[in-house]
Amino acid sequence: MAPRFLALLFCLISGLSSACAQEETKGAPAEPDNAGELRARIASVEQLMPRLPDRGAALFFLAAWKQRLGETREAIELLKECVALQEGFDPSGEPAFSGLKGTKEFDALVDRVHRDFPIVAQAHQALVTQEKDLVPEGLAYDLMRDVFYLSSLNRRKIVQITPESRTSDFVPGDQYHLLPVLGIRLDPNDGSVWANSFEEDHGRAELLHFDVSGKLLGRYSATFPGPHGFNDLVVRKSGDVILTDSLSNQVYRFSPGSKTFVPLVLHRTLFYPNGIALADDDRTLYVADALGVLSVDLAGGVSRDVIPGPRSTLAGIDGLYWHNGSLVAIQNDIGSPRVAAFRLSKDSSRVTQTVVLENRTVFTVLPTTGAIRGNDFYFIANSQIDNLNGDHVMDVTKLESVRIGVVRLP
């Protein structure tokens, strides 16, 4: 979810240098302190690239990392190839390329993307909070109580919101001394609430469990070496919780009975696993990372990359949800964010139709996650995570009420 974007945002911005006089190198950043890590990441993706079903995703992230290293000419060439595939990557919203804005080549690429993927404005405001300093991350819907749960990174709590926008604390921030709270999901058996929390600066993470009144039932940490960043999660009918760990690049199965975390064995290395969804059959799992979505047969233990098909991408997904044979996604790491629905084939191996639900509007300023209520998708429109640095808000004058948008699902 959002912490990846937040961490990259500050890393990228801090790495940018002043524009050079020549057009070719304008906006090239000074080499960052983590140059070695970036080069290792580049090598890993280049090695994986021949086996990835989404070449555009690899090209986009390679371009961003190259630009962070100051290799602007290579970054531009990679971007040209990426944009030519017409998958939906929009470099105008990627902080790594902010120094390139105003150059002829870069602006031409952005213009082409905006012609290929025009504005889509279908959402409207459904909910709004009075508190402005929540900096929300996770959203969940409780069908039995008809309320939404909204997690807060800044206030380290969970609030509940009625369909009329009446807001109250479900878990007060000062009650259990929580870490920043991220993904939230309900247990399908008893309606209890599971939530992930982690503090990125120290790599500390906890899986939290609350009853229907907000009372803490348990808090669980991984016992093996970190750092850990518990991000999003799903809850199976058996009671098992499956969660993404964005800092260790793992997906874990947590058993409430044994209280142990066991990593899933997947067919490839993950790059910041984030969103996660469970199909109605309770056995097909979908895991999103920077480069796409993996499907996992929980019964057989077999995983594979979902094929996005031509002119489509499953990369950069934060919130991920299953709905009637489709994956609903908030893609906030493909440059400019968007909300989209991906119809899957009967065997769930590939995307057969991509529908962009919201793109380049006030509802896609900085969305993170959402929740499905009937045939409507509610989502956080303005998370404001770009105004959060570690455990404090950088500019309180820029804080605003949290807006929850809603769009009808196809």
Side-chain angles (χ1 to χ4, degrees), residues 69-85:
L69 290 168
E71 300 171 10
T72 299
R73 175 47 50 194
E74 292 183 50
I76 286 291
E77 293 304 315
L78 289 165
L79 273 182
K80 285 181 178 178
E81 187 179 350
C82 174
V83 170
L85 295 173

Side-chain angles (χ1 to χ4, degrees), residues 212-243:
V212 294
S213 68
K215 178 183 177 181
L216 183 65
L217 299 176
R219 56 199 313 169
Y220 312 98
S221 301
T223 56
F224 32 85
H228 295 289
F230 294 170
N231 202 324
D232 210 348
L233 69 163
V234 293
V235 186
R236 300 187 71 190
K237 294 175 182 176
S238 65
D240 285 355
V241 179
I242 304 177
L243 61 149

Side-chain angles (χ1 to χ4, degrees), residues 321-386:
Y321 312 91
W322 171 267
H323 180 70
N324 294 341
S326 294
L327 291 174
V328 181
I330 294 176
Q331 295 177 285
N332 62 12
D333 205 12
I334 59 171
S336 294
R338 71 179 188 181
V339 181
F342 302 91
R343 171 66 61 178
L344 299 182
S345 59
K346 290 184 177 180
D347 63 357
S348 301
S349 64
R350 59 189 175 86
V351 174
T352 60
Q353 182 185 30
T354 299
V355 180
V356 177
L357 303 174
E358 195 77 10
N359 188 40
R360 291 170 39 219
T361 74
V362 295
F363 290 101
T364 57
V365 174
L366 194 45
T368 50
T369 62
I372 295 173
R373 180 181 185 238
N375 289 316
D376 293 323
F377 182 59
Y378 292 72
F379 62 97
I380 299 168
N382 60 331
S383 63
Q384 306 178 78
I385 57 174
D386 54 347

Side-chain angles (χ1 to χ4, degrees), residues 2 37 50 92 170 195-196 198 224 244 298 315 331 359 371:
E37 179 186 340
S92 67
F170 176 68
N196 276 332
F198 87 81
F224 32 85
T244 54
L298 294 173
Q331 295 177 285
N359 188 40

Side-chain angles (χ1 to χ4, degrees), residues 183-190 192-197 206-210 217-220 224 230-245 250-264 276-278 282 285 287 298:
I184 313 174
R185 296 292 172 102
L186 271 67
D187 190 312
N189 299 298
D190 58 12
S192 59
V193 176
W194 290 87
N196 276 332
S197 65
E206 287 185 325
L207 173 63
L208 308 169
H209 191 200
F210 303 94
L217 299 176
R219 56 199 313 169
Y220 312 98
F224 32 85
F230 294 170
N231 202 324
D232 210 348
L233 69 163
V234 293
V235 186
R236 300 187 71 190
K237 294 175 182 176
S238 65
D240 285 355
V241 179
I242 304 177
L243 61 149
T244 54
D245 186 335
Q250 297 282 351
V251 180
Y252 299 114
R253 185 199 310 262
F254 174 80
S255 170
S258 63
K259 298 178 175 54
T260 56
F261 294 87
V262 178
L264 300 187
I276 188 168
L278 185 64
D282 197 51
L285 182 74
V287 178
L298 294 173

Side-chain angles (χ1 to χ4, degrees), residues 43-56 58 266-271 291-294 303-308:
S44 296
V45 172
E46 288 177 338
Q47 184 178 16
L48 184 62
M49 204 167 175
R51 303 189 300 277
L52 279 177
D54 188 348
R55 180 174 177 80
L266 305 174
H267 73 283
R268 70 163 173 86
T269 300
L270 296 176
F271 291 84
L291 299 176
V293 170
L294 284 68
S303 69
R304 60 186 176 185
D305 283 278
V306 178
I307 300 171

